[in-house]
C-alpha cells in the first residue's frame, strides 16, 4: 500500500499492526511506517507522535530520530531542533536486516532537510557539504545541482539574497529563464522568501 501511494490505507494497516504486534520489533516497524504515512500526508503532529514511539521503543535505532527531524522541519521549520535530532543519530544503528527500510531514509531523505536547516541558519559551508554528499550519490541530479550553485554562491558572498539574485541572473544569461524562475520560486530558504529583493526577482522572472 505504501509503495502504491495509498497512504491513508497504509496508515490504517500499520496502526493495526502496532496495536496487535507479533513482537516489539514488529511494533517498532509499524510505528516507523505509520510515521512515514503521516509524513506523506503532511500530518506533522501525528508524525511526531509516531516518531517518538519509535524512539522510545528502540532508542538505539536511527529511524525514529530521523522521523522526528522531518517533523521538526516540515511541521515547524525549526532548524535547530531538526539538526539536533539528526546529530543524535551519530551513534545510533541502522534498522536490523529483518526489517524492511528504504535506504534513502538514511541518506537523501535526511540530507534533504539537513541542508535546508543549515541554510536557514546561514551555515552555507555546512549546507554545501550536505548537497555535495547527495550529488556523489546521485550525480547530475538537477535538484541537488541547483542547491550546490546556490550554497556555493552564498558561501562566497555571505548573503543569501545576493546569492539567489546572482544565481538567477546567471541562469537568465544562459537563456534559461524558466529554470531561473523555478529556482526563485521553489529552492530558496523560507527565511528570505519575503525579502523585497526576492519578491522583485520573482516578479521580474515571471
Amino acid at each position: 500500500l505504501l509503495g502504491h501511494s495509498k497512504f491513508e490505507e497504509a496508515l490504517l494497516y500499520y496502526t493495526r499492526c502496532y496495536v496487535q504486534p507479533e513482537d516489539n520489533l514488529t511494533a517498532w516497524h509499524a510505528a516507523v511506517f505509520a510515521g512515514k504515512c503521516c509524513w506523506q500526508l503532511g500530518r506533522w503532529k501525528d508524525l511526531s507522535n509516531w516518531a517518538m514511539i519509535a524512539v522510545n521503543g528502540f532508542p538505539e535505532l536511527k529511524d525514529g530520530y530521523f522521523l522526528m527531524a522531518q517533523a521538526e522541519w516540515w511541521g515547524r521549520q525549526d532548524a535547530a531542533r531538526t539538526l539536533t535530532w539528526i546529530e543524535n543519530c551519530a551513534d545510533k544503528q541502522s534498522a536490523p536486516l529483518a526489517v524492511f527500510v528504504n535506504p534513502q531514509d538514511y541518506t537523501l531523505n535526511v540530507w534533504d532537510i539537513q541542508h535546508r536547516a543549515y541554510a536557514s541558519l546561514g551555515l552555507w559551508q555546512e549546507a554545501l557539504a550536505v548537497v555535495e554528499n547527495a550529488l556523489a550519490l546521485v550525480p547530475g541530479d538537477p535538484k541537488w545541482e541547483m542547491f550546490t550553485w546556490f550554497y556555493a554562491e552564498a558561501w562566497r558572498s555571505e548573503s543569501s539574497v545576493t546569492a539567489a539574485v546572482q544565481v538567477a541572473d546567471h541562469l537568465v544569461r544562459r537563456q534559461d529563464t524558466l529554470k531561473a524562475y523555478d529556482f526563485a520560486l521553489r529552492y530558496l530558504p523560507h527565511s528570505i522568501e519575503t525579502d523585497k529583493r526576492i519578491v522583485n526577482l520573482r516578479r521580474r522572472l515571471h
Side-chain angles (χ1 to χ4, degrees):
L1 293 176
L2 190 59
H4 291 85
S5 300
K6 296 181 178 180
F7 302 116
E8 290 283 4
E9 294 92 332
L11 177 57
L12 180 59
Y13 170 78
Y14 287 116
T15 300
R16 289 172 176 169
C17 290
Y18 175 76
V19 173
Q20 296 181 318
E22 295 179 1
D23 51 39
N24 290 338
L25 185 59
T26 301
W28 175 87
H29 179 264
V32 167
F33 274 78
K36 291 180 181 181
C37 293
C38 294
W39 174 14
Q40 295 294 334
L41 292 166
R43 297 178 185 174
W44 310 120
K45 185 176 180 180
D46 291 339
L47 167 56
S48 179
N49 290 338
W50 284 114
M52 281 307 303
I53 289 172
V55 169
N56 292 330
F58 281 84
E60 69 274 21
L61 300 180
K62 296 179 179 180
D63 301 64
Y65 298 86
F66 283 157
L67 287 175
M68 277 302 305
Q70 297 287 352
E72 290 291 349
W73 179 252
W74 297 117
R76 306 199 306 173
Q77 263 80 59
D78 190 324
R81 289 179 65 86
T82 297
L83 293 171
T84 296
W85 281 106
I86 293 172
E87 290 161 4
N88 285 341
C89 291
D91 61 344
K92 308 306 179 187
Q93 306 168 23
S94 300
L97 294 177
V99 176
F100 172 79
V101 296
N102 179 357
Q104 290 191 4
D105 289 343
Y106 300 147
T107 54
L108 296 177
N109 288 344
V110 67
W111 292 341
D112 190 42
I113 56 171
Q114 188 178 27
H115 79 85
R116 296 171 194 271
Y118 279 136
S120 73
L121 297 173
L123 299 173
W124 306 116
Q125 185 176 1
E126 291 82 352
L128 180 60
V130 173
V131 297
E132 287 177 340
N133 286 338
L135 274 175
L137 192 61
V138 285
D141 186 291
K143 166 188 169 180
W144 294 104
E145 284 186 338
M146 188 80 76
F147 283 122
T148 301
W149 299 337
F150 175 48
Y151 294 152
E153 196 67 45
W155 185 18
R156 285 192 291 269
S157 68
E158 296 185 354
S159 169
S160 58
V161 174
T162 300
V165 173
Q166 289 174 346
V167 169
D169 287 343
H170 171 71
L171 292 171
V172 171
R173 287 194 297 272
R174 290 173 48 188
Q175 298 184 340
D176 205 341
T177 304
L178 288 177
K179 185 176 286 187
Y181 179 67
D182 186 55
F183 165 72
L185 185 67
R186 299 176 54 205
Y187 291 92
L188 303 184
H190 295 290
S191 58
I192 68 170
E193 285 186 334
T194 57
D195 188 286
K196 184 179 295 185
R197 291 165 292 177
I198 297 300
V199 173
N200 290 336
L201 172 66
R202 289 171 171 170
R203 288 174 179 168
R204 176 163 59 87
L205 293 172
H206 192 269

